[in-house]
Amino acid sequence: MKEKIYLLPGTMCNAKLWDKLSIILNKEYELLHIPILSGLDLDSITDSLEEIIQEQKVNIVGFSLGGYIAAHFSTKYPHRVNKIFIISNSPCPLSSNEIAGRQKTLDYINTYGYKGVTRQKANSMLNTQTQNEEIIDTIMRMDMELGEKTLKSQLTWTTNREDLFEKLANLSINITFFYNTLDPLVNTEWLTKFADIYHNCTLLPNESEGHMLPLEEPSILSSHLMNWLKIT
């Protein structure tokens, strides 16, 4: 029987986020994508996972918003978690700039509606050296499939985030972070401070700036995940 990995996506991402990873890992592991439910706050989304996940103890991988949800789930239901792997996220409040940008986007949608993420916006989430049209198309396709209702829900209900530093520090599970050091959406100072006091924490910094690591670096990510799964 294959070992299971539960996958939580980021804002406006669906199972396509993991396609490249699945190609590499599917022979050895069972990858189970869990969509982020709409119309729920972070507490309710987290509680829903307790019902969705059937196994007693699981390995959870979360990207961006999904990384925060994985961390939150671990603090509320530590007995259900074997270990967690967080990609492109620091489980703390969003920066004031990001909060302001989200509110501006929400105000605009409420006034003018939503026509989908632009190619320029999708490209801004990637490493400037990448400029990969296939990845940009994937980001735009995920956004189109999820649509305006999902975006409004996620901007409304998942922007206000608690700092999970102290709660995570009281756990005894392995927590691994994989992130780009120049990603403006990741608080690297928070991660460094957490790793200094939490001995079961592993930091896997990647020297780049893009946010969409599952799409941009599937080979590096899969290698990290296979090593992570060997940790007891």
Side-chain angles (χ1 to χ4, degrees):
M1 183 179 293
K2 295 180 182 179
E3 187 166 6
K4 293 182 179 180
I5 309 173
Y6 283 87
L7 306 171
L8 297 170
T11 301
M12 296 306 283
C13 294
N14 58 23
K16 287 183 172 63
L17 177 73
W18 311 110
D19 281 353
K20 292 184 177 181
L21 193 68
S22 297
I23 292 171
I24 301 170
L25 294 181
N26 255 345
K27 288 183 180 180
E28 296 185 49
Y29 304 99
E30 183 177 356
L31 306 184
L32 301 167
H33 168 76
I34 302 179
I36 297 173
L37 299 179
S38 291
L40 300 176
D41 61 18
L42 285 165
D43 258 342
S44 299
I45 291 170
T46 301
D47 290 340
S48 73
L49 295 182
E50 212 272 329
E51 299 177 6
I52 293 170
I53 294 173
Q54 299 297 312
E55 287 73 28
Q56 185 61 36
K57 275 197 152 186
V58 294
N59 304 313
I60 303 178
V61 175
F63 165 72
S64 196
L65 169 60
Y68 183 89
I69 294 169
H72 196 200
F73 181 80
S74 298
T75 64
K76 293 191 74 175
Y77 302 100
H79 59 287
R80 300 293 309 280
V81 177
N82 185 25
K83 50 197 166 192
I84 58 174
F85 190 104
I86 296 174
I87 308 164
S88 300
N89 180 264
S90 38
C92 59
L94 299 177
S95 69
S96 56
N97 285 342
E98 191 175 354
I99 291 172
R102 282 169 160 247
Q103 187 58 54
K104 185 177 180 180
T105 299
L106 187 58
D107 291 343
Y108 183 91
I109 294 171
N110 285 332
T111 303
Y112 301 105
Y114 186 61
K115 298 179 181 179
V117 66
T118 65
R119 185 165 291 272
Q120 180 181 9
K121 174 62 176 177
N123 188 53
S124 72
M125 292 186 280
L126 305 179
N127 179 359
T128 54
Q129 304 303 314
T130 303
Q131 304 293 314
N132 187 307
E133 295 301 319
E134 179 188 352
I135 294 176
I136 293 172
D137 288 343
T138 298
I139 294 171
M140 296 181 72
R141 196 174 300 115
M142 291 191 295
D143 179 84
M144 179 185 67
E145 290 175 359
L146 292 170
E148 178 180 325
K149 184 178 179 181
T150 297
L151 179 57
K152 288 176 68 174
S153 174
Q154 291 181 354
L155 293 178
T156 300
W157 295 107
T158 70
T159 296
N160 184 24
R161 302 182 190 180
E162 175 189 0
D163 192 330
L164 299 177
F165 192 103
E166 295 298 333
K167 290 181 179 179
L168 288 171
N170 288 324
L171 300 179
S172 58
I173 63 172
N174 173 268
I175 305 175
T176 297
F177 294 92
F178 177 46
Y179 58 97
N180 275 329
T181 55
L182 300 178
D183 182 354
L185 300 179
V186 175
N187 187 332
T188 56
E189 182 180 354
W190 188 100
L191 293 176
T192 301
K193 288 182 178 178
F194 183 74
D196 283 343
I197 66 102
Y198 189 71
H199 299 303
N200 286 326
C201 176
T202 302
L203 298 184
L204 300 172
N206 195 56
E207 302 298 325
S208 189
E209 59 195 323
H211 187 66
M212 307 298 293
L213 280 168
L215 296 176
E216 291 192 273
E217 301 289 359
S219 295
I220 296 174
L221 174 56
S222 62
S223 178
H224 284 324
L225 285 174
M226 285 186 281
N227 289 332
W228 169 71
L229 288 164
K230 294 173 186 175
I231 297 173
T232 56

